[in-house]
């Protein structure tokens, strides 16, 4: 099962997702894709099996992913302070993969009904959901 983790900016959410998944399932195949090299490096250091950066890497990784995980902004064009292109958002959104998204109320995108929960708690919930999907 191929898990694609996508993140941008400093890669903190992606890094936490990769580390959490690897802690639960060392054999999970994780492809980390950053919208920038800093995010990619953070996820790579957390234990991703493969890593790439940029728009085309997102498009290619989404083609054959079983699960895509990351902040909700990866499906919103111009999110993450403009790091997510329309092509990236479309690739994530149109992928047949299961999408497990962390709701982050930033960059003028608000997910109604989401309480002010710590990102670390949201990442833990996402990791559990991913484990339910792969086991």
């Amino acid at each position: 099962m191929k898990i694609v983790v996508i993140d941008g900016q400093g890669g903190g959410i992606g890094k936490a997702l990769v580390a959490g998944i690897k802690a639960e399932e060392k054999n999970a195949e994780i492809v980390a894709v950053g919208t920038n090299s800093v995010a990619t490096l953070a996820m790579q250091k957390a234990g991703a099996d493969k890593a790439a950066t940029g728009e085309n890497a997102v498009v290619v990784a989404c083609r054959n992913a079983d699960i895509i995980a990351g902040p909700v902004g990866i499906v919103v064009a111009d999110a993450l302070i403009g790091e997510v292109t329309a092509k990236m958002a479309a690739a994530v959104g149109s992928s047949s993969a299961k999408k497990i998204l962390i709701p982050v109320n930033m960059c003028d995108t608000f997910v109604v009904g989401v309480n002010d929960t710590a990102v670390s708690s949201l990442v833990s919930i996402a990791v559990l959901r991913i484990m339910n999907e792969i086991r």
Side-chain angles (χ1 to χ4, degrees), residues 2-8 11-22 29-35 39-40 43-44 46 48 50-52 57-58 61-62 65 67-71 74 92 100 102 127 130:
K2 182 188 260 184
I3 303 166
V4 174
V5 177
I6 303 171
D7 200 6
I13 291 174
K15 177 182 176 180
L17 281 168
V18 170
I21 296 165
K22 283 296 187 176
E29 180 188 0
I30 301 176
V31 176
V33 184
T35 60
T40 304
M43 293 185 285
Q44 194 171 26
K50 297 176 186 172
V58 170
C62 288
I67 297 172
I68 298 171
I74 64 175
V92 174
I100 299 177
I102 310 282
V127 169
I130 292 167

Side-chain angles (χ1 to χ4, degrees), residues 37-54:
S37 59
V38 172
T40 304
L41 184 60
M43 293 185 285
Q44 194 171 26
K45 285 182 177 179
D49 299 295
K50 297 176 186 172
T53 304

Side-chain angles (χ1 to χ4, degrees), residues 21-133:
I21 296 165
K22 283 296 187 176
E24 292 288 325
E25 182 61 58
K26 292 188 186 339
N27 295 323
E29 180 188 0
I30 301 176
V31 176
V33 184
T35 60
N36 63 64
S37 59
V38 172
T40 304
L41 184 60
M43 293 185 285
Q44 194 171 26
K45 285 182 177 179
D49 299 295
K50 297 176 186 172
T53 304
E55 181 180 77
N56 197 57
V58 170
V59 171
V60 171
C62 288
R63 284 184 194 149
N64 58 3
D66 296 301
I67 297 172
I68 298 171
V72 69
I74 64 175
V75 295
V76 178
D78 298 332
L80 304 178
I81 312 177
E83 291 185 18
V84 177
T85 67
K87 194 171 181 179
M88 289 174 171
V92 174
S94 64
S95 174
S96 62
K98 293 221 183 231
K99 291 131 191 112
I100 299 177
L101 305 173
I102 310 282
V104 181
N105 292 329
M106 295 177 65
C107 299
D108 294 328
T109 300
F110 299 92
V111 181
V112 176
V114 175
N115 296 326
D116 287 333
T117 305
V119 173
S120 60
S121 295
L122 295 171
V123 168
S124 295
I125 294 166
V127 169
L128 287 174
R129 180 60 195 233
I130 292 167
M131 290 303 104
N132 288 337
E133 293 294 329

